[in-house]
Amino acid sequence: MSFTFKDTKYRSAKVVNGVTRGGPRAHLKGLGHTAEEFGKPFIGIVNCFNEMHPGHIHFDRIGKAIRDGVQQAGGVPFEFHTISICDGFLQGHIGMCYSLPSREITADSIEIMAQAQQLDGLVFICGCDKTVPGMLMALLRLNLPSIVVTGGPMLPGRVKGQEYATYELKEAAGRLKSGQITEGEFFELEDALSPGPGSCAMMGTANSMSIASEALGLTLPGSATTHAVEGKKIRMAKESGRRIVQLVEENLLPLSIVTQEVLEGALRVVMSVGGSTNTSIHFPALAYEAGLNLTLEDIERISSSTPYICKIKPSGSHTLLDLNDAGGIPVVMKELSSMLPLDRMTVTGKTFRENIEAFANSNKEVIRPIANAYMKQSSLAVLKGNLAPEGCVIKQTGISEKMRRHTGPARCFSSEEEATEAILEGKINAGEVIVIRYEGPCGGPGMREMLTATSALMGVGLGESVALVTDGRFSGSTRGPCIGHVSPEAALGGPLCAVQDGDSITIDVDGRSIELHVDDDELQRRIEANTFTPKPQAGSGYLKRYSGAVSTAKYGAILK
């Protein structure tokens, strides 16, 4: 009797081959697997199903479809789970401190499972703000045959014939507080704005990074905008399950697909549709895992040379459903074809050019040709100056023309909660610049989103007269003159720690500058006199370890 069950070209041969592997084989037999299956490729299905989150609630069904596809193609599926959190539940409290740090746990936990179990290939099911980048980081780090299945957006909410996304509830809270709407109208919105499964129906981080997955060549064409409720999403999952077995046989690896030019091309695609400011954290982190390099300067170079061709909520009135109906990301890539490396290989075994050939633009107002772009420059702008020597980020597609250059007196706060309270209580005046500090990766810790504050600002009608500057970050649903990712952060002695109420600050988006009008010597004196005390939530556990190891936003808030 032979103790060789599997060709050694498969990593999993280490698990089943040889007389000393009787224990693992016994375990597999106890699970119902046959000796014949020992010879097939072992495929890991990485699932972040979660019953509390709309972005993940349907992943059990997607996982089953993938398993079916793997089995049809002659592989053996092994599904395992990793953590997932929904930023929608974390706004305005300590929970948000765990959002960005969860990205690293997601990536690390997948590495541990894939390496410990010696899986041959992986299918990644992801869909929310940190699960998509976390899984992409693991995918690039492991460099095993892999394919991504994104969960898809939820349908937009509908109230009285108008379409909405969930972020608009935050703004509605400000309108309720200022008497613009009634409680009944608010609850009508609340009942309708998250109508079912899927990532929030806007160009937030989840959808921005799902688009990145497709533009990196790691999903089937059309995956990013195929909605969660569509049968097509299940068919694509099943097809991805079949395809991963072929990828293992072909030994087509992620780092053969994701080159420097493909990474930059994917960022260009995301910028062209008004992608989230959070991409400026996640793309450098992806580059790091792939052994590549992408800096804030690169992001500025790419964004400033990319036309803005899709105006999706919150920057415009179109929805992800409109984008999907117009042809989705394949059509966006077609419109940008002269600027992208379309002859590179993808997980389909075909090039980008071959993948998008059959797609046509069915709505040139939703996906505009370059010649009719909304703007010559796309989503993000990187500003530098004495207030942000290493840079900071603004989503320039979401601000009014009158706020592209603004000078005003500072109003300083040491947390989002303090700033939000002041906004909702009417204590912020037109023309001011709100400064929220000690919310960076180290000082927050965890670089919380300031969505509650920024939405309140829009809701009370100050979105075109008050700017906001922070070393924290924003949700992709943030709009208005909001500047985040100020680096170095205040907790590390960055100039933001030295701002005082009444100091004049000038923000110049077109000039790519942000200046604190304080003498250099006085600024240095204030910085040296600053004493930062870590926030109580960093006192123990994971956040304490994270705070001590995380890099600045400039480098993608990675752990080294």
Side-chain angles (χ1 to χ4, degrees), residues 72-128:
Q72 289 169 5
V76 184
F78 294 96
E79 187 171 354
F80 65 91
H81 290 69
T82 186
I83 63 167
S84 60
I85 57 176
C86 171
D87 284 24
F89 285 88
L90 314 183
Q91 304 292 340
H93 60 84
I94 188 176
M96 184 52 77
C97 292
Y98 288 91
S99 175
L100 183 58
S102 77
R103 182 189 72 176
E104 319 309 311
I105 296 291
T106 296
D108 290 352
S109 66
I110 296 167
E111 176 195 352
I112 289 169
M113 285 294 293
Q115 296 289 59
Q117 305 288 114
Q118 286 293 286
L119 296 165
D120 298 307
L122 296 167
V123 184
F124 295 83
I125 313 172
C126 49
C128 282

Side-chain angles (χ1 to χ4, degrees), residues 346-400:
T346 71
V347 291
T348 65
K350 300 177 181 178
T351 65
F352 286 106
R353 193 179 304 279
E354 291 171 310
N355 286 343
I356 68 178
E357 184 178 3
F359 290 82
N361 192 339
S362 63
N363 190 328
K364 294 187 178 182
E365 184 57 28
V366 174
I367 305 175
R368 289 190 173 188
I370 289 177
N372 190 36
Y374 288 102
M375 292 171 53
K376 292 182 179 179
Q377 297 181 346
S378 60
S379 184
L380 302 188
V382 176
L383 315 183
K384 289 188 176 182
N386 69 343
L387 194 54
E390 294 181 350
C392 56
V393 180
I394 185 170
K395 191 172 184 177
Q396 64 172 334
T397 53
I399 60 176
S400 68

Side-chain angles (χ1 to χ4, degrees), residues 518-558:
V518 172
D519 177 81
D520 289 347
D521 291 339
E522 170 64 12
L523 181 59
Q524 188 60 36
R525 185 194 66 76
R526 292 186 192 178
I527 292 173
E528 291 173 356
N530 178 67
T531 301
F532 172 69
T533 303
K535 294 184 179 179
Q537 57 260 33
S540 63
Y542 178 53
L543 288 182
K544 183 177 181 180
R545 298 196 302 275
Y546 180 87
S547 180
V550 68
S551 74
T552 64
K554 175 181 172 65
Y555 299 105
I558 58 173

Side-chain angles (χ1 to χ4, degrees), residues 413-461:
F413 303 92
S414 293
S415 72
E416 182 194 22
E417 289 85 351
E418 292 178 12
T420 301
E421 182 180 358
I423 293 168
L424 292 177
E425 291 184 357
K427 296 180 179 179
I428 301 299
N429 303 308
E432 292 180 329
V433 178
I434 297 172
V435 173
I436 307 177
R437 54 197 174 193
Y438 306 118
E439 291 285 9
C442 172
M447 202 178 185
R448 294 195 295 173
E449 286 183 355
M450 303 289 104
L451 178 59
T452 302
T454 58
S455 297
L457 197 65
M458 297 299 293
V460 299

Side-chain angles (χ1 to χ4, degrees), residues 241-306:
R242 291 195 293 264
R243 179 60 189 153
I244 187 58
V245 178
Q246 297 168 344
L247 285 168
V248 170
E249 298 299 341
E250 296 165 7
N251 197 33
L252 181 55
L253 304 178
L255 295 187
S256 298
I257 295 171
V258 182
T259 63
Q260 184 74 31
E261 64 175 348
V262 168
L263 184 72
E264 293 191 6
L267 179 60
R268 195 178 294 279
V269 172
V270 175
M271 293 298 95
S272 76
V273 297
S276 165
T277 53
N278 285 311
T279 56
S280 68
I281 302 174
H282 298 319
F283 265 82
L286 297 185
Y288 176 79
E289 297 292 355
L292 305 173
N293 188 43
L294 193 78
T295 66
L296 275 180
E297 290 75 19
D298 293 324
I299 292 170
E300 165 61 26
R301 168 178 57 82
I302 292 165
S303 183
S304 64
S305 62
T306 301

